Structures are given as C-alpha cells and as structure tokens.
Amino acid sequence: MLNKINSWIDQTLQNHSNQIISCEHFCSQFNGFYPAEFLANSYYVVIDRLPKPDFPELRQAGFGCYIDMDIQGITYKNTYFIKKGYEGELALHFHELVHVLQWQNLGAQAFIQRYMDEILSFGYQNAPLEKMAYDLQYHFSVKNAPLSIPDYVQNKI
Ligand SMILES: [Zn+2]
C-alpha cells in the first residue's frame, strides 16, 4: 500500500510539473522562519480540486472521511497543492511548508506511514504532525517572533 501511494504521489507531481511555482517569492515574508534555500527548493500548485489518493482500499481501511474532507491545502514531498482562492493566505503556505520539512525529515515512506497511523489513531485535528503544523502556523501568524522552523521540526519530530 505504501508503495502504491508513493507511486501515485510521484505520478501526481509529474502530472502537475508544468504548474509548479517556487516558494522563493516568500523569502522576505518568511524571513527568520524559513531559509531562502529551502524556499527555493519548495513548490506549490494552485488547483480547483486537491488531489488525494482515492483508492477503495484506503476507504476500506477507514480513510473515507479524510479523503472527503474539505481542506485548503495538501503536501506531497517538496510540493503542496493549494485550493484556488486560498493562494493569498500566507499562513496556509506557512502551514504546508511545515509539512514539506516533515516529509524531508522522515523520508517519504515513513511520513506516509506515520501520517496514516496518526489520522486513524487521533483524527485529523489531533494528529501530531498536523498539530505541529497548526502550532507553528499560529506562532507565525499571532506571535510573529522569528523561529528557525527547520531546526524546530528536526528537534521535535
Ligand atoms: Zn496540515
């Protein structure tokens, strides 16, 4: 199953490779949080409908609610997808970039496994990988005190 999801992700990223936008342009807005080099190697795609792996096996395993959930962004490896109309929300970009770092720290297979386990055990709202992203998003939006997000993710993951 992990291999199937991983291949689906690679295919999805390839299918949208001509629509990717580099996060480089967030350099000044995310200064003190995300290094320029990391932003230059992270990407996003603005899209009408977020791509999710809608496999019958996943629905059977209990991921139906997650697959159908109306969310504004989703991250696959170094690229995230943003629902059209939300691309101006800086905090959402900030949130998805936390996930890019989580993917990098854990590696693809381990990220997928852990994310799925967490969704089943805790639900989306309380999944620790999501909580970390929401907490850091809050830190950025509300406190706005510089914090190295790559260091934070590496230490806390
Ligand atoms: Zn998230």
Side-chain angles (χ1 to χ4, degrees), residues 21-28 36 39-42:
I21 302 167
S22 169
C23 295
E24 220 169 358
H25 68 96
F26 292 121
C27 214
S28 56
L39 292 172
N41 291 298
S42 303

Side-chain angles (χ1 to χ4, degrees), residues 8-152:
W8 176 88
I9 288 171
D10 288 339
Q11 187 61 54
T12 301
L13 293 176
Q14 210 189 321
N15 292 347
H16 296 90
S17 56
N18 60 342
Q19 294 157 260
I20 59 170
I21 302 167
S22 169
C23 295
E24 220 169 358
H25 68 96
F26 292 121
C27 214
S28 56
Q29 283 146 307
F30 291 158
N31 184 32
F33 297 92
Y34 291 117
E37 201 193 333
F38 167 74
L39 292 172
N41 291 298
S42 303
Y43 305 91
Y44 68 95
V45 174
V46 178
I47 197 163
D48 286 322
R49 198 164 170 268
L50 298 183
K52 288 184 197 164
D54 193 354
F55 306 148
E57 309 95 284
L58 284 175
R59 289 193 177 272
Q60 269 163 25
F63 292 100
C65 284
Y66 178 74
I67 292 168
D68 296 332
M69 198 166 60
D70 187 27
I71 50 176
Q72 286 80 47
I74 196 159
T75 302
Y76 296 119
K77 303 187 176 182
N78 68 345
T79 303
Y80 55 90
F81 292 80
I82 297 258
K83 208 169 153 180
K84 205 170 184 169
Y86 294 90
E87 63 269 32
E89 294 201 11
L90 201 55
L92 180 60
H93 289 273
F94 194 95
H95 176 108
E96 300 305 327
L97 284 164
V98 174
H99 290 315
V100 172
L101 285 167
Q102 292 172 339
W103 277 92
Q104 284 177 6
N105 274 273
L106 293 173
Q109 299 261 348
F111 177 91
I112 297 166
Q113 182 70 63
R114 186 157 149 190
Y115 193 84
M116 288 172 66
D117 289 347
E118 289 187 5
I119 292 289
L120 285 188
S121 310
F122 302 97
Y124 171 81
Q125 297 291 346
N126 295 311
L129 289 169
E130 279 304 337
K131 249 188 124 299
M132 183 192 283
Y134 279 109
D135 287 350
L136 289 170
Q137 172 187 346
Y138 177 84
H139 180 90
F140 169 72
S141 313
V142 179
K143 297 188 185 162
N144 203 20
L147 174 70
S148 168
I149 306 300
D151 289 342
Y152 183 96

